[in-house]
Amino acid sequence: MTDENRETSRDGVPETGAAADGGAEPGFGFEPSAEVREVREWVHGFARDVIRPAAAEWDEREETPWPILREAAKIGLYSLDFFATQWFEPSGVAIPVVYEELFWGDPGIGLALTGTTLAAVAVATNGTQEQLLEWVPQMFGDADDVRLGAFCSSEPGAGSDVGAIRTRARYDEATGEWVLNGVKTWATNGGIADVHVVVASVDPDLGTRGQASFVVPPGTPGLSQGQKFRKHGIRASHTAEVVLEDVRVPGRCLLGGRERLTERLARARQGGHAGGQVAMRTFEASRPTVGAMAVGCARAAFETARDYAVQREQFGRPIGDNQAVAFTLADMATRLDAARLLVWRAAWLSRTGREFHQAEGSMSKLFASETAVWVTQEAIRILGGNGYTREFPAERLHRDAAIFTIFEGASEIQRLIIGRAVTGLPVR
């Protein structure tokens, strides 16, 4: 039984009736708009026909799937225009819907296709309009020249603790350039990207308030790839260290500009509010999308387990007829829909300009990521010995799911953020 035959509610409701586009909030409803549903079916088709057949191969190769990136670029799926259009869709759910489908296809290849967007978000949230127009197009390229972007924040001694970042940026008054030195780690597309966005400290005494983000243009001397990591999962996505040795970038590469940075540092030195942390603003904007990635991975595992439970017979009946299996599937389906709704709510709040009063972005990322780990684990159990082999996708999906509770804010960090939000106690 194929997923096409059984998929009637990828968004948690039957795909019948009119879209809920009306009302006080344009584009919002428990059923996506007709436009979002059309995009979803298009991306789903690409994930089903192009990504899934190649998933196991690229997982084994542990290489960037350039042929799939080029194929996506040819049809306009890997492009600035596509992601920008979906990002500004009125309800805010278009990007989560797209990410869910790509990661339903395969999390590793899905991250290879979406890793660039984190660097693009960093420019969009910290840069000027002019910087957005100059640098983001260079992160995608076109069908004839596919390019990548990389966001570089974490360091060997600074993961969750972004205040421990040691990469330094020094302004050279004589040349008007910024000089960067340091080592970044766990960078998606690190070292192979055309455009790198680097978080660095310009005033170490101010901690996170003394940090800024810099664009390192293609071919800049002094930037090199360090260690490439061999990973437990998401192996089709390139992850590596980025080494910065006297990397010189023009003054225009400081995101937001020097005047804004000078004002922010002055407020911080006087003890005033200096604005949000540059890395944290990027992560906060991307948390619902990470939740959507986890939902896609979990949905793929759930469908694998569900279909297996219907087809696999033991003692003369399908194993799904057994209450223990049926109850597990019920819990998987319930958690999956709950995770999706949390992601959609956070994306809607963000897109419509509402504040996260209870850290709703962190809630969505926390619950969806832990749901993905649990669902993929239970899928292996339902498949039994078959689930433990590479002949079935459950084993790979379980390895892939582990990353969602780690990157862009580990589960412990999300709980810390949520706890502070719901108690109202100050950050110490």
Side-chain angles (χ1 to χ4, degrees):
M1 186 174 294
T2 65
D3 57 82
E4 290 77 26
N5 292 332
R6 295 187 60 86
E7 280 187 285
T8 57
S9 57
R10 286 197 296 276
D11 48 28
V13 296
E15 297 184 33
T16 58
D21 295 339
E25 302 300 336
F28 176 76
F30 286 104
E31 185 176 27
S33 68
E35 291 79 8
V36 172
R37 294 202 309 274
E38 183 179 353
V39 168
R40 181 184 60 191
E41 293 305 317
W42 178 57
V43 178
H44 179 72
F46 183 84
R48 179 192 63 225
D49 300 334
V50 179
I51 295 177
R52 280 204 162 182
E57 174 190 353
W58 291 100
D59 176 73
E60 291 286 348
R61 293 176 63 167
E62 299 192 49
E63 297 174 358
T64 300
W66 289 106
I68 295 177
L69 286 170
R70 285 191 285 268
E71 194 68 25
K74 286 178 184 177
I75 64 172
L77 177 55
Y78 184 80
S79 70
L80 172 59
D81 287 345
F82 175 73
F83 281 104
T85 299
Q86 303 313 308
W87 196 271
F88 292 106
E89 181 271 331
S91 75
V93 303
I95 282 291
V97 163
V98 168
Y99 276 46
E100 178 179 334
E101 295 304 324
L102 291 174
F103 282 70
W104 171 87
D106 178 67
I109 295 176
L111 191 57
L113 287 164
T114 60
T116 290
T117 60
L118 187 59
V121 168
V123 176
T125 55
N126 297 297
T128 65
Q129 184 69 18
E130 291 75 19
Q131 290 171 327
L132 182 69
L133 294 174
E134 178 178 6
W135 299 115
V136 176
Q138 296 187 52
M139 297 181 186
F140 288 90
D142 53 42
D144 297 321
D145 183 19
V146 174
R147 299 189 178 191
L148 300 173
F151 180 64
C152 307
S153 175
S154 294
E155 298 184 1
S160 297
D161 182 9
V162 294
I165 284 177
R166 299 178 63 85
T167 296
R168 299 290 183 254
R170 174 182 60 82
Y171 187 68
D172 187 337
E173 295 282 356
T175 63
E177 297 173 318
W178 288 92
V179 185
L180 308 179
N181 281 282
V183 177
K184 294 296 181 179
T185 195
W186 312 121
T188 299
N189 298 333
I192 65 170
D194 298 273
V195 178
H196 291 75
V197 178
V198 177
V199 179
S201 177
V202 296
D203 190 334
D205 293 336
L206 295 176
T208 58
R209 297 179 299 168
Q211 295 172 358
S213 292
F214 299 85
V215 171
V216 180
T220 301
L223 184 147
S224 62
Q225 178 185 309
Q227 176 187 4
K228 177 183 176 180
F229 296 103
R230 300 188 64 189
K231 304 188 298 296
H232 179 63
I234 57 167
R235 294 177 177 176
S237 173
H238 175 95
T239 308
E241 290 181 331
V242 175
V243 180
L244 304 139
E245 298 179 303
D246 289 331
V247 172
R248 288 181 169 269
V249 298
R252 75 179 194 283
C253 292
L254 166 64
L255 292 182
R258 194 178 180 201
E259 182 177 348
R260 186 191 301 178
L261 173 64
T262 300
E263 293 174 356
R264 181 161 59 83
L265 294 177
R267 290 197 301 272
R269 293 185 185 112
Q270 294 168 6
H273 178 64
Q277 302 170 3
V278 294
M280 288 301 98
R281 283 202 300 270
T282 300
F283 291 142
E284 187 63 26
S286 66
R287 278 180 185 135
T289 66
V290 177
M293 297 174 187
V295 169
C297 177
R299 191 181 110 217
F302 164 71
E303 290 174 4
T304 298
R306 178 203 60 199
D307 293 349
Y308 187 87
V310 171
Q311 297 166 359
R312 173 71 166 172
E313 291 191 1
Q314 289 289 276
F315 305 105
R317 61 177 182 172
I319 63 171
D321 218 13
N322 295 307
Q323 191 177 78
V325 174
F327 277 16
T328 301
L329 289 169
D331 286 343
M332 292 164 78
T334 301
R335 294 192 194 187
L336 180 57
D337 270 11
R340 180 184 294 110
L341 290 172
L342 282 171
V343 167
W344 282 16
R345 180 184 68 168
W348 173 73
L349 288 170
S350 179
R351 181 66 189 91
T352 55
R354 287 161 170 76
E355 292 187 15
F356 289 166
H357 293 293
Q358 295 195 99
E360 288 87 350
S362 291
M363 283 184 179
S364 69
K365 198 268 187 186
L366 171 66
F367 189 79
S369 63
E370 297 201 342
T371 292
V373 171
W374 182 81
V375 168
T376 55
Q377 173 183 292
E378 293 306 303
I380 290 177
R381 287 164 57 84
I382 288 174
L383 269 67
N386 284 327
Y388 203 65
T389 72
R390 296 189 182 184
E391 302 303 314
F392 289 77
E395 175 270 343
R396 186 178 69 251
L397 291 167
H398 185 51
R399 287 190 285 105
D400 292 339
I403 192 60
F404 300 124
T405 62
I406 299 172
F407 74 174
E408 296 194 39
S411 288
E412 292 76 15
I413 295 299
Q414 306 308 324
R415 286 187 169 90
L416 182 64
I417 293 169
I418 296 166
R420 286 173 175 168
V422 300
T423 62
L425 295 173
V427 177
R428 299 183 186 278

